[in-house]
Amino acid sequence: MTDRAPTDPKARRPAPPPAAASHMAASPAGAPAEGADAFPLRDHLFYYFSQIMAHRNRRLNTELKPFGVDYARWRIMAVLNDQPGCSMQQLADTTSVDRTSLTHTLKLMEAEGLVSRTPRATDRRSVVLGLTEAGSRLFVRILPTVRAQTELALTGIGAGEAEGLMRLLARMAENLRDES
């Protein structure tokens, strides 16, 4: 019997299996897992990457809403501006977005008149991707907003520090790039 009220969600939780129960006894709720106590998130480099991207994406989505786009569409537009005529594979590699999600977003953007997809002359199974005139105009209108968010993120960081950071991040990205 338990002295908890029946409405307490913990009172309805089934007992853990014996293996989990013994682990739970060694690692009570709120304590780091055994052997993991030397891994505080704030000392982990990639924790900051995820925090930076999450905060930036939230801010950008808010700032991009009046333009009728979100961060996913902006990222595609930025790549197509930089690499006009790229393939789906190049776009997927550059945006780090899976092809299924890209295909869906590109269909929406094509219907909105922002991107064009035309069959590649040398391989009809492949498409050439690009911004339409309307997509290019919207990109130019959005660019100051994105640059302002970048400047906000770099507040208090000198130009030399930012350039050094870019070099280090590029090296890290290269270190982790798939060789396939």
Side-chain angles (χ1 to χ4, degrees), residues 71-110 114-118 120 126-131 139 177:
Y71 178 71
R73 285 176 172 83
W74 156 253
R75 188 165 46 179
I76 290 170
M77 292 172 71
V79 172
L80 294 181
N81 180 73
D82 186 58
Q83 302 174 24
C86 73
S87 67
M88 280 290 289
Q89 188 60 53
Q90 290 167 318
L91 183 62
D93 290 344
T94 306
T95 60
S96 301
V97 175
D98 66 271
R99 287 180 61 131
T100 302
S101 297
L102 272 180
T103 299
H104 174 73
T105 304
L106 282 169
K107 283 180 183 176
L108 295 173
M109 293 177 75
E110 189 175 27
L114 300 175
V115 300
S116 62
R117 298 186 313 168
T118 56
R120 191 172 298 282
S126 178
V127 294
V128 175
L129 301 168
L131 290 174
F139 176 82
R177 189 157 282 129

Side-chain angles (χ1 to χ4, degrees), residues 13 16 19-29:
R13 187 179 310 152
S22 66
H23 174 71
M24 285 173 50
S27 179

Side-chain angles (χ1 to χ4, degrees), residues 124-138:
R124 301 300 256 172
R125 295 170 297 169
S126 178
V127 294
V128 175
L129 301 168
L131 290 174
T132 62
E133 285 184 36
S136 292
R137 284 192 306 271
L138 183 57

Side-chain angles (χ1 to χ4, degrees), residues 14-53:
S22 66
H23 174 71
M24 285 173 50
S27 179
E34 189 175 328
D37 56 339
F39 193 76
L41 279 177
R42 295 198 182 280
D43 291 344
H44 184 54
L45 181 64
F46 289 92
Y47 165 80
Y48 290 100
F49 290 158
S50 63
Q51 290 293 302
I52 291 164
M53 291 307 297

